[in-house]
Amino acid sequence: MVYTYAYPRPALTVDALVVTGKGNQRKVLLIRRGRDPFAGMWALPGGFVDMEETLEAACRRELKEETGLDLPRMEQFRVFDAPGRDPRHRTISVVFHASVAQELPVTGGDDASLAAWYSVTELPPLAFDHSDILSQFLGKS
């Protein structure tokens, strides 16, 4: 059954923060966005949650669709909910993270034109609020 609501409500998204290495050797997995908003900019893999999936399943699905990386498990980091974080509409993102022992092969797919590992000390400009997300994560880990 589809419901119609008389009031606006936010969209729910997930973002995947996958890292490898330690200290100055640490790298993070990013995708180059193939679509607006921010087409051509780098971002964390992620996207919208489907109606019939859990948040972690949505994050793992988006990660696989956009990078080819299939992880068995991810852990929730935190929620990012600042109004204006997505120029399309009000979006709330639940960010999940995972560490891998080494750089794994990745390839851009779905709405990601590329996927690549970047040193956390030499990051490109990031879309949305992904610089803030990454800074907060690195400050806690």
Side-chain angles (χ1 to χ4, degrees), residues 3-15:
Y3 294 92
T4 302
Y5 297 94
Y7 55 89
R9 59 200 181 283
L12 184 60
T13 62
V14 288
D15 289 304

Side-chain angles (χ1 to χ4, degrees), residues 3 7 11 24 34 45 65 71 79 82 85 127 131 141:
Y3 294 92
Y7 55 89
N24 288 342
E65 287 175 0
L71 296 182
V79 174
R85 62 179 300 277
S131 290
S141 58

Side-chain angles (χ1 to χ4, degrees), residues 44-55:
L44 296 171
F48 293 94
V49 177
D50 289 339
M51 292 301 289
E52 301 298 324
E53 64 187 347
T54 66
L55 296 172

Side-chain angles (χ1 to χ4, degrees), residues 13-17 30 33 37-38 41-45 77-95 123-137:
T13 62
V14 288
D15 289 304
L17 217 163
L30 299 176
R33 291 185 54 79
F38 304 109
M41 287 189 70
W42 291 91
L44 296 171
F77 170 52
R78 66 165 285 211
V79 174
F80 289 81
D81 64 350
R85 62 179 300 277
D86 186 326
R88 295 170 289 192
H89 45 74
R90 179 78 164 101
T91 340
I92 296 171
S93 185
V94 181
V95 178
L123 293 170
L126 299 179
F128 303 103
D129 58 351
H130 293 185
S131 290
D132 293 336
I133 292 171
L134 194 52
S135 292
Q136 288 185 36
F137 179 78

